[in-house]
Amino acid sequence: MSSVTRPRREADFARFPSSTPIVIDNGASTFRIGWAGETEPRAAFRNVVQRPRHRSTGETVSIVGDTDPALMKYFDCTRSAVRSPFDDDVVYQFEYMEYILDYGFDRLGANSEVGHPILMTECECNPSFSRARMAELLFETYGVPSIAFGIDNAFSYKYNQKLGNCGEDGLAISCEHGTCHVVPFLKGQPVLGACCRTNVGGFHITDFLRQLLSLKYPYHTANFTWEKAEELKKEHCYIALDYMSELQIFKNNKEEAEEKTRYWQLPWVPPPKEEPPSEEELARKAALKEKAGQRLREMAAAKRSQKIVELEKQLSYLEELMDQLDEADESEATAILSRSGYLSQQEIKSAISKATQSLRKAKGETNGNEEKAEVSAADKYPLVSVPDEELTPDQLKEKKKQILLKTTTEGKLRAKQKRAEEEALREKLEEQRRAENPELYLEELRARYSELSEKFEQRKRQKVNGGQTNGNHGSSGGVGRGERLNAAQKERMRLLASAAFDRGKGEDTFGMRDEDWLVYNKMSKDNDDDGNDDDESELVRIASKLQEIDPTFVSKSEAVQLTPEPPKVRPLTAEDYRIAIGIERFRCPEVLFQPGMIGIDQAGIDEMVSISLRRLMEDESVKQRLCQSILVTGGSSLFPGMIPRLESGIRQYRPYRSPLKLVRAADPIIDAWRGAAAFAASSKFAKQTFSLADYREHGENLFHRYNIVYSL
């Protein structure tokens, strides 16, 4: 974006007599101020205010108009947005309007009071309360002797009438910043009762363009500022003669669409190329790695030394405790055990054995045969062999737990040994069958693998679906809890119910017999999926056998794992920072003709002409005369294709072969100010103003019937 040029302060304010009017074109987009009779305004700037805080002093400052990004870095703008005094071309925020007028009069050269008559432009049918507040502000704050309000479109039409671009009777179509207006003129004066307005303008086009680009390129949203969107709109947007035909071009004709597409290259810096590290860098990294490793080794050695000291203290305490028990009688031994927290000497011996092994492991000592002897059953379960008469009630409870654990462990060992023997026998038989008939053996393996795979997949589907079947189980298709339980779960529930029923009928002796292991095994939750685990292990074994015999075999689990990895994120290139503006070029200005595209249920500017002519209570000959002198003004009228599209749209609402002539204003942006300056310089201007005395006498009622007579 180009650098912002602030208007300079004029130095010839005192040269103009107090009777020379000051002309203000108070547009929603741009504020223009100058002297009557001149052809160019002295100052022009955006009609906005921003009040940020200075980062160093914390002082709030008022910034009017365009801001320089190089200077805004010194201000905190997070809590201060750009504000406009306008809402749909009507001034509502007079606090901001005062900041703008202060700045405008200062640029014109005024010091304190202005002391000159004021001619200010406004929109069509401006509300009386807005006129009254503006007059009050000018009278009481700036000491203005007299004021006149006029419609900007009327001044533009009269100025172009003077240039010969339009006749005395005609239509003015104004496409402005926040609104669009159609005003008919009869005998050189606007017919305000027949004017038409829609709340769509250049602001909505810029905002729509910014939204479309942000949705199209979400990673570059920060680059689509309001100022940049405004610049792109002015440079690249155009109005299509036929919107649907233009859409078809971008849909079907790629070559023509490419010709109409414009590109905006965002700043992009290529990433630096990664060079292989030098020998010095590798040596430095190796030294750092070795240093970190040495630090970790020192920390591990210190931790190991601390653990050795603790184990030695524990072992010394246990050995000393055993010496005390050996020397004490039975009553003293019981007291020593209760103080120490151990139940018997066997438990202390087991603790000494464990502490000794831990100490040897911490010191790195190993046996000569590199084998670790398992702790004997007497050390693991010291209370099993002790008679019940010698045990306390707490020790009896502990003895029952140890008996149950011992029975469980021995049962698991026997089952494991039995499975190993069966596995060895099965391997031997399979090797014999494989040697006798390899082809038949391979087919049997494949059939068995398919059967187990289907069975395994069916179980998984049942778990995921909660056991739902295709049978008739009600309208919802669900099943009860009893139908979802397998046989093992049902048997465990039966055993748990029986155990709960039998509890309290006598002494609890469960775990005293070896047969209790079978009941415990059935009651254990870990046994629910024993069948599933066996099938899964069998499936893995058969798959390994098949891979050993047939190298081309691929198991289903491996097939699932061979799914392609998601593509890696590619580095960004200059193409990713290239913004294409294609369909947005004509889609955004189309809102002037179809406001419904942005959610505004109002008429387009071509339909507004028909509405305005219907409101005009004149015969058809007058309407034909008006349609032969249609002036198009306002900033949005500068879009390429505006005049042909307007002519095509208006013809749809006019009679067949009705005469129609449209012309763009000489300068759609400044003609309103030039027309107002010429009107203020005429001798009739003084009769069109009202003074402070008139305002105090009539109040707001003055503006209900106030309308100037436009003449040049």
Side-chain angles (χ1 to χ4, degrees):
M1 188 174 64
S2 60
S3 60
V4 177
T5 302
R6 308 280 291 178
R8 62 182 180 86
R9 191 175 191 272
E10 300 293 330
D12 58 349
F13 184 85
R15 186 173 61 86
F16 291 90
S18 60
S19 60
T20 305
I22 296 175
V23 180
I24 298 175
D25 182 12
N26 192 22
S29 173
T30 307
F31 183 93
R32 297 179 181 87
I33 187 171
W35 296 102
E38 296 184 348
T39 57
E40 296 292 333
R42 292 295 184 97
F45 49 87
R46 280 183 66 194
N47 212 338
V48 292
V49 179
Q50 191 173 9
R51 306 196 69 225
R53 288 180 178 272
H54 199 279
R55 293 185 184 276
S56 59
T57 63
E59 182 183 358
T60 301
V61 297
S62 300
I63 301 176
V64 178
D66 295 304
T67 56
D68 190 350
L71 297 178
M72 292 305 293
K73 64 182 180 180
Y74 300 106
F75 298 93
D76 180 14
C77 302
T78 55
R79 298 183 181 180
S80 172
V82 177
R83 303 293 184 183
S84 171
F86 287 86
D87 187 1
D88 291 337
D89 277 356
V90 177
V91 179
Y92 283 96
Q93 301 293 336
F94 285 90
E95 178 186 358
Y96 301 137
M97 193 70 242
E98 185 175 353
Y99 289 123
I100 293 169
L101 288 172
D102 285 344
Y103 183 72
F105 288 134
D106 177 74
R107 295 298 91 184
L108 195 62
N111 293 320
S112 55
E113 289 191 356
V114 176
H116 288 262
I118 298 292
L119 173 60
M120 180 176 285
T121 64
E122 61 182 9
C123 67
E124 291 81 349
C125 303
N126 194 33
S128 298
F129 82 90
S130 180
R131 281 181 169 183
R133 291 289 304 278
M134 183 66 74
E136 181 181 351
L137 178 65
L138 291 172
F139 281 135
E140 297 184 0
T141 305
Y142 303 102
V144 174
S146 59
I147 305 172
F149 292 111
I151 300 173
D152 50 1
N153 298 341
F155 288 128
S156 179
Y157 188 88
K158 297 299 289 184
Y159 183 77
N160 281 272
Q161 180 187 346
K162 181 180 178 181
L163 297 178
N165 295 331
C166 52
E168 190 178 23
D169 298 337
L171 287 170
I173 302 176
S174 176
C175 304
E176 301 170 355
H177 182 67
T179 58
C180 289
H181 292 88
V182 175
V183 183
F185 283 82
L186 289 175
K187 298 180 181 180
Q189 299 302 315
V191 184
L192 299 181
C195 69
C196 186
R197 158 191 175 135
T198 186
N199 293 325
V200 176
F203 168 85
H204 302 86
I205 299 174
T206 305
D207 190 60
F208 193 34
L209 176 62
R210 189 168 60 90
Q211 290 180 17
L212 291 180
L213 292 178
S214 298
L215 290 172
K216 190 176 180 180
Y217 300 98
Y219 297 108
H220 301 303
T221 305
N223 294 288
F224 303 133
T225 61
W226 175 268
E227 291 78 9
K228 189 62 187 180
E230 184 79 11
E231 181 182 340
L232 293 174
K233 179 191 75 172
K234 293 178 180 179
E235 290 183 5
H236 302 300
C237 287
Y238 67 94
I239 293 177
L241 182 61
D242 188 342
Y243 180 67
M244 298 307 297
S245 300
E246 199 78 7
L247 285 177
Q248 290 299 321
I249 290 175
F250 276 80
K251 181 180 179 181
N252 301 324
N253 195 334
K254 294 184 178 180
E255 294 183 0
E256 190 173 352
E258 184 65 26
E259 291 178 0
K260 294 188 175 185
T261 302
R262 301 293 181 265
Y263 295 95
W264 170 35
Q265 182 65 51
L266 293 175
W268 175 75
V269 179
K273 296 181 179 179
E274 295 186 0
E275 298 181 356
S278 61
E279 295 182 358
E280 296 179 356
E281 184 69 17
L282 291 174
R284 186 181 67 83
K285 289 183 178 179
L288 291 175
K289 187 176 180 181
E290 178 63 27
K291 186 177 180 181
Q294 181 63 29
R295 185 167 62 252
L296 291 174
R297 286 192 292 271
E298 291 174 356
M299 292 171 62
K303 190 174 181 181
R304 187 168 58 250
S305 301
Q306 183 180 0
K307 186 177 180 181
I308 289 173
V309 172
E310 292 176 355
L311 287 173
E312 287 177 347
K313 288 182 179 179
Q314 182 183 1
L315 189 58
S316 175
Y317 168 72
L318 292 174
E319 290 175 349
E320 187 177 322
L321 191 60
M322 282 298 298
D323 293 340
Q324 293 178 6
L325 290 173
D326 291 339
E327 296 175 359
D329 54 12
E330 186 175 352
S331 59
E332 291 179 353
T334 304
I336 292 172
L337 286 174
S338 62
R339 287 197 303 270
S340 62
Y342 291 97
L343 300 176
S344 65
Q345 291 188 12
Q346 293 293 335
E347 191 175 355
I348 296 176
K349 289 179 181 179
S350 177
I352 290 174
S353 176
K354 290 181 181 178
T356 304
Q357 288 182 5
S358 300
L359 185 59
R360 287 179 180 177
K361 185 178 179 180
K363 290 182 178 180
E365 299 176 359
T366 57
N367 295 332
N369 56 2
E370 298 293 335
E371 293 181 357
K372 295 181 180 180
E374 294 186 358
V375 181
S376 63
D379 292 335
K380 276 189 175 181
Y381 315 109
L383 298 179
V384 173
S385 58
V386 180
D388 293 349
E389 295 79 9
E390 299 179 6
L391 299 176
T392 62
D394 293 337
Q395 290 175 337
L396 284 173
K397 290 182 181 179
E398 183 66 25
K399 179 180 178 180
K400 289 180 181 180
K401 292 181 183 178
Q402 292 183 5
I403 290 172
L404 180 59
L405 290 174
K406 180 182 177 183
T407 307
T408 304
T409 305
E410 291 176 353
K412 285 185 177 180
L413 289 175
R414 287 194 298 270
K416 185 178 179 182
Q417 186 177 2
K418 185 178 179 180
R419 283 198 301 269
E421 292 174 357
E422 292 174 354
E423 183 71 21
L425 180 60
R426 184 174 58 180
E427 289 286 340
K428 185 177 179 181
L429 293 175
E430 285 190 357
E431 285 297 328
Q432 291 177 1
R433 288 166 51 206
R434 178 180 176 183
E436 291 173 0
N437 193 342
E439 295 180 358
L440 179 61
Y441 177 73
L442 181 59
E443 280 200 26
E444 289 178 353
L445 281 180
R446 285 177 176 167
R448 180 64 176 159
Y449 180 80
S450 300
E451 179 185 352
L452 289 175
S453 298
E454 183 62 29
K455 190 176 179 182
F456 189 67
E457 290 295 329
Q458 188 175 1
R459 280 202 192 116
K460 285 175 65 176
R461 287 195 296 271
Q462 287 177 352
K463 285 183 178 180
V464 172
N465 299 330
Q468 293 181 2
T469 62
N470 293 328
N472 296 325
H473 295 289
S475 59
S476 62
V479 296
R481 176 173 174 79
E483 293 172 300
R484 293 199 300 267
L485 299 178
N486 56 28
Q489 291 172 329
K490 291 179 180 178
E491 180 65 14
R492 185 174 73 247
M493 291 184 68
R494 186 187 67 79
L495 293 171
L496 287 172
S498 300
F501 181 74
D502 295 337
R503 189 177 182 86
K505 289 186 176 181
E507 186 179 0
D508 187 6
T509 59
F510 183 77
M512 301 291 290
R513 298 170 299 167
D514 293 344
E515 291 81 2
D516 293 339
W517 155 249
L518 299 175
V519 179
Y520 173 77
N521 191 25
K522 289 183 179 180
M523 294 173 64
S524 175
K525 287 185 178 181
D526 298 334
N527 194 40
D528 279 356
D529 296 329
D530 280 351
N532 298 353
D533 295 341
D534 293 342
D535 289 344
E536 190 173 357
S537 60
E538 179 69 8
L539 189 66
V540 173
R541 188 187 70 81
I542 294 176
S544 64
K545 286 283 186 183
L546 285 170
Q547 288 175 345
E548 182 182 345
I549 299 172
D550 185 6
T552 61
F553 172 77
V554 178
S555 64
K556 292 185 178 180
S557 59
E558 291 179 352
V560 173
Q561 292 175 0
L562 292 176
T563 54
E565 296 181 358
K568 296 182 179 179
V569 179
R570 64 176 180 83
L572 295 177
T573 62
E575 190 68 23
D576 298 314
Y577 286 80
R578 192 184 185 195
I579 307 301
I581 308 173
I583 195 173
E584 296 84 6
R585 294 183 63 198
F586 63 91
R587 185 181 179 189
C588 296
E590 185 65 21
V591 302
L592 296 175
F593 298 87
Q594 302 184 52
M597 293 174 61
I598 56 174
I600 298 178
D601 188 15
Q602 295 181 12
I605 54 178
D606 49 358
E607 186 180 356
M608 286 166 55
V609 174
S610 173
I611 296 173
S612 181
L613 291 176
R614 285 201 304 268
R615 291 176 178 175
L616 192 64
M617 300 301 178
E618 300 290 343
D619 56 15
E620 187 61 31
S621 61
V622 176
K623 295 179 182 180
Q624 287 187 3
R625 191 166 66 251
L626 294 179
C627 290
Q628 295 181 40
S629 176
I630 299 179
L631 180 73
V632 185
T633 185
S636 296
S637 67
L638 294 173
F639 284 117
M642 169 63 85
I643 301 300
R645 174 64 184 275
L646 262 178
E647 184 175 352
S648 174
I650 294 173
R651 284 193 184 277
Q652 297 179 12
Y653 299 98
R654 297 295 300 150
Y656 179 64
R657 289 191 175 182
S658 175
L660 187 66
K661 181 183 178 182
L662 283 83
V663 62
R664 184 184 283 114
D667 191 334
I669 297 177
I670 307 181
D671 278 355
W673 186 91
R674 288 172 176 169
F679 175 76
S682 65
S683 58
K684 299 179 181 180
F685 171 72
K687 299 178 182 179
Q688 307 294 327
T689 62
F690 60 91
S691 63
L692 177 59
D694 297 331
Y695 175 69
R696 288 177 176 173
E697 180 181 353
H698 300 284
E700 191 173 334
N701 294 328
L702 172 67
F703 303 106
H704 290 298
R705 60 182 185 274
Y706 175 78
N707 283 309
I708 64 173
V709 178
Y710 298 89
S711 60
L712 295 178

